[in-house]
Structures are given as structure tokens and as C-alpha cells.
Amino acid sequence: PGDWYYSSVLDLYERSLMAGTSGHTFSPAQGTTRAMMVQMLYRLAGMPEAEAPCPFEDVPAGAWYTRAVHWAYAEKIVAGVSAAQFAPDEPITREQLCAMLYQYARYQGLPVHQSADISRYSDFDEISAYALPALRWACASGYLYGLSDTVLAPKGGANRAQMAGIFARFTASPD
């Protein structure tokens, strides 16, 4: 209960948006994957069926994330790392996470016009062009914070505690 991420984890767990790594553990320092993020968005959306086939060769039928990836691809919430690869087990980067949240917000018809000036971060030039609007939006909306006053770490990963914090702030937002 004293950890900074406790209320976020509890909130997401109680709403069945994020599960533990076992019946009694959360594993806050464990990394998160692209599939984990898509599964959380899929749960948030109410687990709808996908309307279109999915082109990703590395998303096998029957995996715990298959329906989520098919849905997210059909709704243009996610893209692959290539035309045929989604890389579900790869660690998610902070810019990928924000891009998925941004596209999900657009899918839901939420405003995505907020834009922070993030050029002050020393690693600003590392941000991929596709992710720049999403990172500006996520920072302006208070979903994503820099790791420090000068480091945003767009290519860095997010552990389960960080993912819970970002996702809880996103789902608690009135917009």
C-alpha cells in the first residue's frame, strides 16, 4: 500500500484492466510487452470482435492476445513493426505505448488536440516521427512524465508499475 503505484494497480485490477503475474503477485519491476498493452486497451474497449483479418504472421491463433491484436489492428489502434510482424513479445517502448493510447483515444472520439512542447528534453531527437504527436499529447494530458526534467526516454521501456500509472491516469481522465 505504500508504493507510489499501489492505487493505480488496485484501480486497474478492480476494473479487470490489468492482472497480476500470479494470484498473489504483481511484479512491478517486470517489463511490459506490446501484447500486454494491446490486451489492456482491448479490455478497456469491452473486448469487441475484430471486423477484419490480421496480417501479422507472429500473432498465432489462440494466443491470449490474438483477439486483442486483431481488434486493435482492425481499428487502426496499432500497426506492426513491419507489414507482417507485430512483435507481441517485444518490450513496449514509451513512444509505442503513447502512440497506442493516442490512437485508442482517437478511436473513442476523445480529443487529442493537446500538445506540449517537449523539445526541452535532451533526447527529443530520438523520438520517431510517427510518435511525436502522441508524445506531445500524452505529456500535455499528464499521462506521461519524463524520467527526469531533461530525459523523456521515448525508446525506453516501461515496467509494469509505470504502465499501470500511465494507464490509470489515461483511464481516469475526463477527456
Side-chain angles (χ1 to χ4, degrees):
D3 290 324
W4 66 266
Y5 51 84
Y6 178 80
S7 62
S8 296
V9 171
L10 182 61
D11 172 52
L12 297 176
Y13 176 78
E14 286 177 345
R15 293 190 290 148
S16 299
L17 297 176
M18 192 171 194
T21 54
S22 78
H24 302 286
T25 58
F26 179 71
S27 305
Q30 180 179 316
T32 54
T33 65
R34 292 170 48 82
M36 288 176 188
M37 180 62 188
V38 173
Q39 183 67 26
M40 290 170 63
L41 291 170
Y42 182 60
R43 288 176 179 171
L44 182 62
M47 300 173 53
E49 289 297 320
E51 297 289 327
C54 183
F56 304 127
E57 298 167 356
D58 59 350
V59 177
W64 61 269
Y65 53 80
T66 301
R67 288 183 178 185
V69 173
H70 282 240
W71 163 79
Y73 175 78
E75 298 300 339
K76 298 179 177 46
I77 295 168
V78 299
V81 296
S82 72
Q85 302 292 309
F86 179 71
D89 298 321
E90 291 296 312
I92 192 166
T93 65
R94 290 164 54 88
E95 70 178 12
Q96 290 170 350
L97 188 157
C98 290
M100 289 181 193
L101 287 178
Y102 181 80
Q103 294 300 350
Y104 181 84
R106 292 181 73 179
Y107 161 77
Q108 290 293 341
L110 300 172
V112 292
H113 62 275
Q114 303 90 330
S115 183
D117 178 6
I118 56 175
S119 63
R120 67 182 167 92
Y121 289 104
S122 62
D123 52 4
F124 175 79
D125 292 339
E126 296 175 23
I127 299 170
S128 300
Y130 81 88
L132 188 55
L135 284 168
R136 286 182 170 151
W137 164 80
C139 288
S141 301
Y143 307 139
L144 181 72
Y145 306 124
L147 296 182
S148 73
D149 288 341
T150 59
V151 176
L152 188 58
K155 303 281 193 237
N159 64 34
R160 289 174 52 82
Q162 293 165 336
M163 172 86 78
I166 293 166
F167 204 74
R169 287 189 294 274
F170 174 73
T171 61
S173 174
D175 59 3

